[in-house]
Amino acid sequence: MAIAEKIPAPQSALSHNEKNFRPSVVEKDLYDWWERSGFFRPPETDDGRRFVMMLPLPNVTGDLHLGHALGFGGYEDVMARWHRMLGDATLYMSGTDHAGIIAQIVVEKELAKEGITKDRGLTREQFLAEMWKWMDFYRPRIEQQLRMLGCSLDWSRPNFTMEPSKQRAVRTHFIRLYKKGLLYREGRIVHWCLTCQTTYSDLEAKHVERTDALYYVRYPWAEEGSNRPDVVIATTRPETILADVAIAVHPDDARWKPLIGQEVLVPVVERRVRIITDEAVDPAFGTGALKITPGHDQTDFEIGQRHGLPVLTVIGKDGRMLPAAGALAGLDRDRARTDMIDRLRKSGLLVKEEPLAHALGVHDRCGTVDEPLVLPQWWVRMKPLAGPAIEAVRSGRVRIIPEFQERIYFEWMQNVRDWAVSRQIWWGHEIPVWFCRDCDEVVVPDEDGPDPKRCTKCASDDLRKDPDVLDTWFSSALWPFTTLGWPDRTPDLARFYPGSTLETGYDIIFFWVARMIVMGIFEMGDIPFDTVYLHGLVKTQGEKMSKSTGNVVSPVEYIQEWGADALRFALVLDTAAGMDTELSEAKLINARNFGNKLWNIGRFVLRQLETYPDAMADRAIDERPARELADAERWILSRTEWATAEASRLLEGHLFGEYVHFLQQFVWGEVADAYLELSKAGLRDDRRRAGTVRTLAYVLDRVLRLLHPITPFITETLALQLWRGRRTARGETSLVLARWPAAGPRDTKLEERLGLALDVVRAARALRQDAGIDPGERIRVALSGATGDVAASLDAIATLTNADVTIGKGTGPAKIVRAVEVRIEAKRDVAAERARLERELADAREALRRSEELLARPGFAEKAPKAVVEKERARLEERRAQVRLLEEELGRL
RNA sequence: GGGCAACUAGCUCAGCUGGUCAGAGCGUCUCCCUUACAAGGAGAAGGUCGCUGGUUCGAGCCCAGCGUUGCCCACCA
């Protein structure tokens, strides 16, 4: 760090002579400087105040999308930068995910373009070498995009889920789970993807609505008998009839009770199967009789397990009927279906068919219809692991924001099922398991042990390694500690685990968040983070986005057009935790315009500093001016302290959208629109000038600090110009490491007073516009009524209204503000004014009535807090005065 | 079949766990190129906070029910 600080800040390509802020010319230089200077690395030592947040590892393949931009460049970087400024040792950890099947699909497509396919003899080793080549191509790309967003990630701690150290971690983790009996291999029904040629977990199975034919099929009685009704079942998958092993009915179904235990013949194959009962059967569906096919259906498999039924498999991994399918062998599953229907029809067993709208399971990666198969797979036993993870959230040790997501978490965790973690693809973490070809023993080495050479049971050296790899989420679940060097006991691990906050999209709460909590507790004995902040989805379809004809627009394009600051600002502004948001062009324009407003505030202040260099002398920029200050200066200083407190409070409360909104209102509405205008009078006044310049500098410095977390580039650009040749109290050289301000004392009386004065200004401006007076023309304003609080602010009112302001009665058109009568000297349009005043009087009377009613209400004075009652009384008085003034004015007209 | 969320100005959304709470941006209307900014400034119009009850001195904010929309979970063949 000491060395790093010596790197000089970049000479900004943007001078403050430019009227518009141009992000593209400063962003890269600043980021390079920040990164090379090591600003994003946590300090070597700390006092225990730390902030640790892991990047939700993006997939190396593909580009970032707007959801990433919101999470990474929005919430996460805001938190990281804010905590860094607070002085917390901040680690915002970088890293990328190997993305398992997604990456394999992407690379397979790329390779196919070059005519390279697995069919043409590409070996596993060759394929993996190709994968790594592509990883090296994609990774810098995604990392570059993170830099473009401005994310203050610690790049000196790189992480990639497939790097050797992570492979060792995954191996260790797998073996530990196995040795503790939490990982087992078993032949159970799993989702099989015919396209991807792999199994997948329940979470990766999506459901799509589809209408298919529902076939009613008669199963003949095995024994001749009389007067028995036909057994008819309903199925959408007649091709699986060949693997039927039973017929099930609900135990309480009166229609079937007499027939339970009797046998029917499975059509075509003529197998005798028994009629059994199971609670899982819905008597209301179809005929109430369900054909049981444990080999090809989830429900049936479970029913089969309960009743000790055999598993028959007639469909292979390629989707073709197996030899066991007899006459249908070799047909693919769709052909087999039509073929089966033909046969049933011919034999008179097809009773009828009708359309059925139902949810069909598909693989979320490719949309291929699920083919449930019974295959030996590795499973993580989730139930015992889930308990402590549920307790961690229930007890509040892990807090999920928004809170309603906690219920969703509990719901899933309480009903969690075992997790199928093996995948039949090549790209992924190896499974550290060997099978003995001689005795079928499963050989798993010790966690630090070498690959086994001999069977631990029969000593055979004919071992076969499990060719499967692990679900990509298996390694992601370890992210909070593998990034810190686990399983080694590294200094980073000791220092930065458990982490602080995990920010990610709510769509992966089960895939990732829940599993991190589970595995963090299992491996580390402690929760991985204490706060989970979940953001919503970003959509772009609602409004006409200039470039979004397609759905996916890369944040890069937005950054190039609007700048990273504007994108971040637009994404976070007015969002609430967990809510989906719409990024509209209107929001981007607003954000860009706000940046420009800030830029121009900066230009104005910098110009004053250059024009009046003596004002600062050798004072620190961020030293709060105290002496020789007029009301205007004392007012904006007080408001700035308020803004500091407010911004801090909103960030502490994770109210990021409000934080951005608030600062926009404050900077634009109060600093720019009100104070900068007031300061112009101060700059013209020899006695006020020095104080005004110092105030401008101080307020700008504060504003830049408060905004830096959301708009790092423009604030740094201005801070470097503001501080160049001057100094801050701490001698800061970059906003990245600058101190987040603590709120100083306020003068609320003064704020109140000036607040009223600004209301008076608005009234006077409205009056002069109504009267059609040219904005350049200086007018006279007279104030009467309850002028006690505005009397001291006449200068400010005069400045902002371009008027001479006096206390006393005037003759022109009037407006009543609170209990102050504002009158300008101008010709009156009596009719229009009467109409307006009558409207205002009606409103005022209504307000007065409500005040009176509230105060008169039984119980209010006794039960409401004193402060509330007092406030209401004061308001009542003011409203009385207001009504009186309006009535008088109308009387005069 | 369960569960969750949303419903606030024409549009997009805030409203921080009951007491200026009726807001912002965009859009609309009027005026203004005032030496930081026309990517700007000033002013104005615009909402009985989905509906119905309830709790409370007091409710967009809490409770109950209903309606509409969206999402999640689930073994309905």
Side-chain angles (χ1 to χ4, degrees):
Chain A
M1 199 76 111
I3 299 167
E5 297 234 15
K6 283 184 190 158
I7 302 174
Q11 278 291 332
S12 178
L14 202 59
S15 89
H16 60 265
N17 289 325
E18 302 216 27
K19 290 164 87 168
N20 295 328
F21 179 63
R22 285 190 293 135
S24 57
V25 301
V26 298
E27 289 181 352
K28 189 177 185 312
D29 286 349
L30 287 174
Y31 197 95
D32 286 349
W33 176 57
W34 291 333
E35 184 180 349
R36 286 191 303 128
S37 299
F39 292 163
F40 300 154
R41 291 203 299 270
E44 299 296 323
T45 58
D46 61 66
D47 60 7
R49 288 181 305 136
R50 299 182 193 121
F51 182 76
V52 181
M53 179 171 57
M54 305 300 166
L55 182 76
L57 60 180
N59 294 338
V60 280
T61 50
D63 295 323
L64 294 185
H65 57 250
L66 284 173
H68 290 128
L70 172 65
F72 304 164
Y75 304 121
E76 289 166 33
D77 200 47
V78 165
M79 284 189 260
R81 288 180 183 269
W82 175 55
H83 279 279
R84 200 175 286 113
M85 291 176 79
L86 285 173
D88 297 347
T90 298
L91 174 59
Y92 181 19
M93 184 67 99
S94 68
T96 45
D97 191 61
H98 67 284
I101 191 166
I102 303 175
Q104 176 158 333
I105 291 170
V106 168
V107 173
E108 275 174 353
K109 278 185 186 151
E110 294 285 354
L111 291 176
K113 286 182 199 163
E114 302 166 30
I116 305 171
T117 63
K118 286 194 269 184
D119 307 339
R120 301 200 191 172
L122 187 70
T123 67
R124 183 165 181 152
E125 286 64 36
Q126 287 167 336
F127 179 77
L128 289 178
E130 290 291 337
M131 285 300 303
W132 278 102
K133 263 165 52 185
W134 281 98
M135 291 300 119
D136 293 339
F137 170 80
Y138 284 126
R139 272 182 72 196
R141 188 185 161 101
I142 206 85
E143 288 169 355
Q144 190 50 36
Q145 294 179 1
L146 287 162
R147 289 180 171 93
M148 288 176 74
L149 277 170
C151 295
S152 56
L153 291 154
D154 184 353
W155 296 106
S156 73
R157 290 173 164 85
N159 291 284
F160 177 49
T161 50
M162 273 301 282
E163 64 197 356
S165 65
K166 303 293 188 288
Q167 293 197 35
R168 186 163 71 87
V170 167
R171 176 180 168 123
T172 303
H173 177 57
F174 184 100
I175 293 169
R176 282 195 192 176
L177 283 173
Y178 176 79
K179 303 261 159 159
K180 293 202 173 179
L182 293 165
L183 192 58
Y184 62 93
R185 184 176 170 82
E186 197 173 296
R188 292 172 44 186
I189 197 147
V190 285
H191 305 288
W192 176 263
C193 181
L194 297 176
T195 303
C196 303
Q197 286 293 298
T198 182
T199 54
Y200 52 95
S201 71
D202 294 334
L203 280 178
E204 290 154 276
K206 294 285 161 254
H207 296 272
V208 293
E209 282 292 326
R210 211 173 80 173
T211 300
D212 288 307
L214 179 68
Y215 301 98
Y216 287 75
V217 180
R218 185 159 58 83
Y219 283 40
W221 290 106
E223 311 286 348
E224 292 300 324
S226 57
N227 300 331
R228 283 182 301 191
D230 285 343
V231 174
V232 176
I233 60 88
T235 181
T236 54
R237 298 204 64 192
E239 72 278 15
T240 65
I241 284 174
L242 301 170
D244 284 357
V245 297
I247 299 293
V249 298
H250 195 275
D252 301 333
D253 193 334
R255 294 171 297 176
W256 295 102
K257 266 203 169 134
L259 304 172
I260 292 163
Q262 304 201 30
E263 292 185 326
V264 294
L265 292 176
V266 175
V268 181
V269 288
E270 313 246 305
R271 182 184 308 118
R272 292 171 77 109
V273 298
R274 192 175 301 276
I275 298 175
I276 61 171
T277 63
D278 196 282
E279 300 274 347
V281 180
D282 177 2
F285 188 90
T287 61
L290 174 65
K291 75 186 199 66
I292 301 301
T293 321
H296 296 289
D297 183 274
Q298 174 88 31
T299 310
D300 294 3
F301 181 80
E302 286 165 17
I303 292 173
Q305 293 277 291
R306 286 197 281 273
H307 297 270
L309 298 172
V311 171
L312 299 183
T313 301
V314 294
I315 303 173
K317 292 179 184 173
D318 59 357
R320 290 178 181 283
M321 305 306 284
L322 295 169
L328 274 62
L331 300 179
D332 74 37
R333 60 178 177 178
D334 296 326
R335 283 283 313 282
R337 179 172 305 177
T338 54
D339 193 277
M340 191 68 187
I341 293 303
D342 282 346
R343 287 166 188 269
L344 292 171
R345 192 173 283 127
K346 278 178 190 146
S347 52
L349 296 176
L350 184 65
V351 177
K352 62 170 174 173
E353 64 177 90
E354 57 189 33
L356 173 75
H358 66 317
L360 200 63
V362 300
H363 188 202
D364 66 352
R365 293 299 161 211
C366 64
T368 305
V369 175
D370 186 14
E371 185 54 67
L373 292 178
V374 174
L375 296 168
Q377 297 289 305
W378 288 100
W379 300 83
V380 175
R381 208 180 294 283
M382 291 299 288
K383 272 270 182 270
L385 288 162
I390 291 170
E391 184 51 30
V393 175
R394 178 144 290 150
S395 67
R397 290 170 57 230
V398 176
R399 179 181 169 217
I400 299 178
I401 303 169
E403 203 178 302
F404 73 80
Q405 291 285 358
E406 290 190 356
R407 291 190 60 169
I408 293 168
Y409 171 87
F410 291 137
E411 182 78 16
W412 187 76
M413 282 294 245
Q414 278 153 6
N415 300 305
V416 72
R417 289 184 291 165
D418 285 355
W419 173 17
V421 291
S422 38
R423 298 287 180 274
Q424 291 66 47
I425 56 174
W426 285 351
W427 178 240
H429 286 277
E430 296 176 16
I431 294 178
V433 171
W434 285 258
F435 304 111
C436 176
R437 285 200 170 92
D438 289 328
C439 73
D440 287 340
E441 176 71 354
V442 173
V443 182
V444 178
D446 291 332
E447 63 181 64
D448 295 320
D451 290 357
K453 295 280 181 281
R454 294 186 167 282
C455 174
T456 47
K457 188 174 173 192
C458 72
S460 162
D461 60 1
D462 194 5
L463 296 181
R464 179 177 62 94
K465 186 160 198 265
D466 190 328
D468 288 355
V469 299
L470 291 160
D471 181 3
T472 197
W473 297 102
F474 190 84
S475 52
S476 319
L478 315 179
W479 196 238
F481 43 94
T482 51
T483 49
L484 298 170
W486 186 92
D488 292 333
R489 291 163 59 181
T490 61
D492 267 6
L493 189 63
R495 189 175 171 209
F496 296 121
Y497 192 96
S500 315
T501 295
L502 183 277
E503 193 286 335
T504 194
Y506 66 71
D507 52 327
I508 55 174
I509 184 169
F510 308 138
F511 277 110
W512 194 42
V513 180
R515 288 163 177 171
M516 276 192 289
I517 296 173
V518 162
M519 296 310 173
I521 293 172
F522 173 76
E523 289 293 3
M524 298 296 295
D526 200 355
I527 52 172
F529 31 71
D530 55 46
T531 302
V532 176
Y533 184 90
L534 297 171
H535 68 251
L537 276 36
V538 182
K539 299 168 190 164
T540 55
Q541 296 154 23
E543 288 189 32
K544 38 169 189 184
M545 298 295 307
S546 55
K547 289 174 182 165
S548 73
T549 41
N551 269 344
V552 182
V553 179
S554 163
V556 172
E557 289 175 44
Y558 288 109
I559 292 170
Q560 284 163 349
E561 183 169 357
W562 306 93
D565 289 335
L567 176 61
R568 294 160 60 117
F569 193 95
L571 282 167
V572 176
L573 176 69
D574 276 345
T575 56
M579 294 297 109
D580 293 348
T581 55
E582 178 96 13
L583 180 66
S584 61
E585 185 158 26
K587 274 191 143 185
L588 286 161
I589 291 170
N590 171 251
R592 190 264 323 261
N593 292 356
F594 175 73
N596 205 52
K597 177 58 71 171
L598 180 64
W599 174 247
N600 277 287
I601 292 170
R603 291 175 64 211
F604 179 79
V605 175
L606 290 166
R607 185 172 299 178
Q608 308 317 321
L609 283 166
E610 280 165 18
T611 310
Y612 307 109
D614 293 346
M616 290 309 298
D618 65 341
R619 279 167 212 275
I621 288 284
D622 56 338
E623 178 188 326
R624 180 173 157 144
R627 287 174 301 172
E628 299 159 29
L629 300 176
D631 272 5
E633 280 65 50
R634 290 175 30 234
W635 172 75
I636 195 63
L637 288 170
S638 187
R639 294 301 283 171
T640 301
E641 302 305 349
W642 167 70
T644 302
E646 196 63 4
S648 301
R649 187 183 68 84
L650 293 168
L651 287 174
E652 279 160 16
H654 297 90
L655 300 163
F656 304 109
E658 286 284 303
Y659 151 79
V660 174
H661 176 93
F662 168 76
L663 286 178
Q664 172 168 341
Q665 295 305 309
F666 172 69
V667 171
W668 204 321
E670 303 202 26
V671 175
D673 291 345
Y675 182 64
L676 252 56
E677 294 309 318
L678 289 171
S679 77
K680 288 172 183 173
L683 293 168
R684 287 192 293 265
D685 184 333
D686 288 343
R687 285 167 306 177
R688 275 181 66 191
R689 185 173 300 126
T692 301
V693 172
R694 282 177 219 148
T695 300
L696 284 168
Y698 174 85
V699 170
L700 177 60
D701 178 276
R702 277 296 175 94
V703 161
L704 295 176
R705 287 170 199 257
L706 298 181
L707 279 168
H708 183 254
I710 186 66
T711 50
F713 293 107
I714 186 172
T715 50
E716 181 79 313
T717 301
L718 283 168
L720 291 176
Q721 296 188 21
L722 177 64
W723 296 346
R724 179 162 291 137
R726 307 185 187 93
R727 64 178 184 84
T728 67
R730 292 170 174 272
E732 289 147 324
T733 55
S734 165
L735 266 182
V736 175
L737 298 178
R739 186 50 54 95
W740 182 263
R746 290 170 59 188
D747 182 344
T748 49
K749 281 264 187 307
L750 176 64
E751 286 184 37
E752 186 85 8
R753 238 174 61 206
L754 258 286
L756 175 59
L758 291 174
D759 287 343
V760 167
V761 165
R762 205 161 297 122
R765 283 169 172 170
L767 284 171
R768 65 182 292 163
Q769 185 159 319
D770 279 355
I773 297 167
D774 189 278
E777 189 182 328
R778 193 160 181 89
I779 58 163
R780 302 175 80 82
V781 170
L783 306 176
S784 58
T787 56
D789 279 349
V790 289
S793 309
L794 297 188
D795 285 351
I797 296 169
T799 300
L800 296 178
T801 53
N802 188 24
D804 296 318
V805 185
T806 54
I807 301 285
K809 288 279 178 189
T811 54
K815 231 172 145 56
I816 311 301
V817 177
R818 314 266 286 270
V820 178
E821 183 183 279
V822 183
R823 203 181 284 281
I824 65 166
E825 197 167 284
K827 267 200 285 195
R828 318 183 72 156
D829 176 343
V830 176
E833 201 180 342
R834 175 179 294 279
R836 176 175 56 79
L837 288 171
E838 273 170 354
R839 224 179 322 127
E840 287 174 10
L841 178 59
D843 289 348
R845 280 181 172 150
E846 172 61 17
L848 175 60
R849 191 187 59 76
R850 268 182 291 148
S851 268
E852 285 172 337
E853 217 172 81
L854 180 59
L855 279 161
R857 200 176 272 149
F860 175 71
E862 299 84 71
K863 295 191 179 175
K866 269 210 161 42
V868 173
V869 178
E870 284 311 307
K871 214 175 186 177
E872 198 53 41
R873 290 215 168 104
R875 201 179 299 161
L876 175 73
E877 285 316 308
E878 192 174 88
R879 282 169 178 175
R880 277 191 178 136
Q882 188 177 25
V883 167
R884 198 176 56 243
L885 285 168
L886 281 163
E887 285 168 346
E888 286 170 11
E889 186 60 24
L890 273 164
R892 275 192 288 272
L893 272 173

